[in-house]
Amino acid sequence: MKRWIALFSLTLLVGWTVATAEAATILEIEGALDAKKVVELTTEDVVVIAPKGIAGSQFEIAVEGPATAKLYDLKQVNGGPALLGPAHKRVVVLPSEKGKVKVSVTVKWPTGDKPTTFDYMLEVK
């Protein structure tokens, strides 16, 4: 009897693991989006934004709605040329519940130009 319970438990664990492994999607956004474009996702999905800027740019992030966002450095582990400038920055957005989310990425240019803000509209379903 214990053997059958262990087998049943293992089957449930494997089924749950496979089901969750296939559920999430990573949505990658390169540069700016059209202001009217709304990206739809679920609470299981992750949004990765590659901000637009030049070498030496600084980025600030603001989030309105049920999500969190953080700026990460991207490092290559296996081969390829070193990433320079903004090519090594990513904003990762993790939705926490259903609703509308606005992610604003402000770029402060090293040239002293006026900062530019890029807005990304997300709808978590």
Side-chain angles (χ1 to χ4, degrees):
M1 181 69 169
K2 288 183 182 179
R3 185 171 156 204
W4 288 107
I5 292 173
L7 182 61
F8 180 69
S9 298
L10 182 62
T11 303
L12 284 177
L13 179 63
V14 168
W16 177 77
T17 303
V18 170
T20 58
E22 296 175 5
T25 302
I26 297 175
L27 303 160
E28 186 172 16
I29 301 172
E30 293 280 338
L33 279 182
D34 179 11
K36 296 178 184 178
K37 174 79 174 164
V38 177
V39 178
E40 294 182 357
L41 63 149
T42 68
T43 55
E44 300 295 319
D45 297 339
V46 176
V47 176
V48 178
I49 300 170
K52 187 178 182 177
I54 61 174
S57 297
Q58 295 179 352
F59 302 97
E60 291 181 0
I61 306 162
V63 179
E64 296 175 18
T68 58
K70 187 172 180 181
L71 185 66
Y72 287 91
D73 285 328
L74 180 67
K75 293 187 179 182
Q76 289 184 335
V77 176
N78 190 15
L83 298 174
L84 301 174
H88 71 282
K89 300 287 187 186
R90 295 293 182 269
V91 176
V92 177
V93 182
L94 301 171
S96 56
E97 58 186 60
K98 294 180 181 180
K100 293 186 179 188
V101 176
K102 178 181 176 183
V103 179
S104 298
V105 179
T106 301
V107 181
K108 292 184 177 179
W109 308 97
T111 57
D113 292 344
K114 181 179 175 186
T116 305
T117 300
F118 298 96
D119 293 325
Y120 303 90
M121 301 304 294
L122 312 174
E123 182 153 358
V124 184
K125 295 190 175 203

